[in-house]
Amino acid sequence: MKNTWLWLLGISATLAACAMALPQNANWKIETVKTGLERPWSLHFAPDGRMLLTTRYTGQLMSLDISSGATTTLTTTLPNFRPDGEGGMMGMELDSQFATNNKVYICYSYWKGGTQTDANKRNRLSSFVLSSTAVSKEKILLDDMPGWWNHNGCRVILSPDSQYLFFSMGDAAGQGSGPQKAQDLSSLGGKIFRIKTDGSIPTDNPFPNSPIWSLGHRNPQGLAFSPVTGALWSTEHGPEVKDELNVIKRGKNYGWPTCQGVVATCTVSNYQAAIKEYDTTGTVAASDMVFYTGNAFPAWKNNLFFVTLKTGRLYRLELDNERIVKEEILINNDFGRLRDVTVGTDGFLYISTDASVDSRIFRIRPK
Ligand SMILES: [Ca+2]
């Protein structure tokens, strides 16, 4: 009997060890970089090798030393901040001159006028300047985007020529006319925008005097420019099915809420179908994406990586222009929900989890 118990104990110890093992294969392994974070929504590496990250509900920008794991909270003041449902402190991008001007772009949720009612739920994109202790000098770039407890977007990315900011906003589901806002050019809900870095509207935008670059979006939360073609790619959350991978083109209508996924034709004008739809039986909840431009994995050069929330996956895609040549899942719900993926200055891939308690950052490095 004693031996049986020892044997059973041995089995459970082995199972526990297996459960703890991080995914790996012949070429790469995964390491834990940081534990105990509050939903890191957006990760970016500063030129000096620090990781900067936004924390969704606490609304503070943090600096992380990836070798020691030490964090510094940079005191961030977001006026009438709204840590509400899927809203809060979301996308962040660094200016191309960050090394000298310390400028960042942050998208966050707020209460219009400060009063916490459904009708006052909003989102905005602002620029800020970092010091060693604080994030201040806010300049609002696009204000008064509709908000709700869900579908607030908001991912922000600098164009490859550093002249423009592209950023996404969800349809702010319950606000105003609901999802139909995505088809309304007078609403800022359900759109992807293009503005100059000072907030002004480029004269060659598709709709005169409007920051709107594309419409008909449900809730896009991943944006990345292909280093090969220059095309802007995006992930977009589907309702219960049909998360989308899109190539975002000037003035195009991506169909929501009239059409979804790869359906070839739609009654909306200037319709653009998705490149691919994921899971017709249940949403994968596609989040951040990045093209691999590092040197640590030469075989992955220019591959597209994206993470998913509901299925906790990290996808790797090889592309030929707009065609997916190969698709691989590197992480398959080993860590729960995944929010962000980025490439470090060391060429390793960094991913963040999206847990209500103890969110983590992992990295994938060569063996
Ligand atoms: Ca669509």
Side-chain angles (χ1 to χ4, degrees):
M1 188 65 184
K2 190 179 172 188
N3 282 345
T4 307
W5 275 112
L6 283 172
W7 179 78
L8 284 171
L9 279 170
I11 290 285
S12 33
T14 307
L15 287 172
C18 287
M20 291 295 289
L22 300 175
Q24 58 180 318
N25 77 3
N27 301 315
W28 52 263
K29 61 179 178 179
I30 294 187
E31 294 175 338
T32 305
V33 176
K34 183 68 181 172
T35 61
L37 293 168
E38 194 280 300
R39 294 186 192 267
W41 210 96
S42 186
L43 318 175
H44 277 292
F45 278 83
D48 63 10
R50 280 180 300 162
M51 180 191 281
L52 298 172
L53 58 99
T54 56
T55 55
R56 192 171 90 193
Y57 283 165
T58 44
Q60 300 293 300
L61 197 68
M62 293 181 82
S63 165
L64 169 65
D65 179 334
I66 52 163
S67 21
S68 69
T71 52
T72 306
T73 298
L74 305 174
T75 308
T76 310
T77 304
L78 304 174
N80 298 321
F81 181 54
R82 179 172 67 87
D84 166 41
E86 295 173 4
M89 188 186 203
M90 299 175 289
M92 181 252 303
E93 171 69 300
L94 309 188
D95 189 71
S96 61
Q97 304 301 307
F98 177 83
T100 52
N101 67 12
N102 292 299
K103 192 164 139 186
V104 296
Y105 306 94
I106 295 171
C107 195
Y108 68 93
S109 308
Y110 70 101
W111 302 98
K112 187 174 186 176
T115 310
Q116 300 188 9
T117 64
D118 279 350
N120 289 335
K121 291 181 176 185
R122 295 290 188 278
N123 297 287
R124 66 161 62 108
L125 178 74
S126 294
S127 67
F128 296 84
V129 177
L130 268 61
S131 72
S132 57
T133 56
V135 180
S136 59
K137 298 185 182 171
E138 179 175 19
K139 179 182 178 183
I140 296 173
L141 302 181
L142 189 65
D143 208 13
D144 223 7
M145 290 184 280
W148 199 245
W149 72 265
N150 62 358
H151 305 181
N152 296 285
C154 168
R155 191 65 66 176
V156 54
I157 189 171
L158 202 59
S159 63
D161 64 7
S162 306
Q163 301 299 303
Y164 305 99
L165 290 167
F166 286 81
F167 54 106
S168 61
M169 183 47 53
D171 66 7
Q175 189 69 261
S177 59
Q180 204 56 41
K181 293 194 293 303
Q183 290 295 324
D184 180 359
L185 284 171
S186 69
S187 166
L188 299 178
K191 308 294 186 312
I192 290 177
F193 305 103
R194 175 187 186 244
I195 61 174
K196 291 186 181 175
T197 54
D198 64 0
S200 62
I201 294 170
T203 52
D204 59 347
N205 266 14
F207 309 103
N209 304 311
S210 170
I212 295 171
W213 183 253
S214 62
L215 66 153
H217 298 291
R218 183 174 179 272
N219 195 24
Q221 290 194 318
L223 291 173
F225 280 97
S226 164
V228 178
T229 66
L232 177 61
W233 286 69
S234 175
T235 55
E236 181 164 331
H237 291 288
E240 296 303 325
V241 292
K242 297 188 178 182
D243 279 21
E244 296 179 354
L245 200 57
N246 285 307
V247 173
I248 303 302
K249 297 174 179 174
R250 183 182 185 277
K252 288 290 186 180
N253 187 329
Y254 288 78
W256 179 256
T258 310
C259 306
Q260 296 171 56
V262 296
V263 57
T265 57
C266 184
T267 52
V268 303
S269 55
N270 290 320
Y271 175 65
Q272 180 71 45
I275 299 291
K276 180 163 182 180
E277 60 187 39
Y278 282 85
D279 277 14
T280 48
T281 53
T283 175
V284 297
S287 186
D288 191 37
M289 68 194 325
V290 70
F291 279 91
Y292 184 75
T293 51
N295 295 317
F297 292 101
W300 290 350
K301 201 84 175 176
N302 300 325
N303 289 181
L304 177 60
F305 289 82
F306 72 93
V307 288
T308 68
L309 292 159
K310 192 169 178 182
T311 51
R313 290 178 185 161
L314 172 66
Y315 284 83
R316 181 180 72 86
L317 270 54
E318 294 177 20
L319 304 175
D320 176 10
N321 199 355
E322 294 184 357
R323 194 167 60 89
I324 298 168
V325 177
K326 184 180 177 185
E327 185 175 288
E328 178 188 13
I329 297 172
L330 280 77
I331 298 175
N332 195 1
N333 210 19
D334 301 284
F335 307 120
R337 296 159 60 84
L338 303 182
R339 173 63 71 182
D340 195 289
V341 54
T342 196
V343 180
T345 42
D346 49 18
F348 304 161
L349 271 174
Y350 288 78
I351 52 172
S352 67
T353 69
D354 185 79
S356 55
V357 178
D358 190 20
S359 285
R360 298 177 173 215
I361 292 171
F362 296 93
R363 70 178 168 205
I364 301 180
R365 62 181 301 167
K367 265 190 170 169

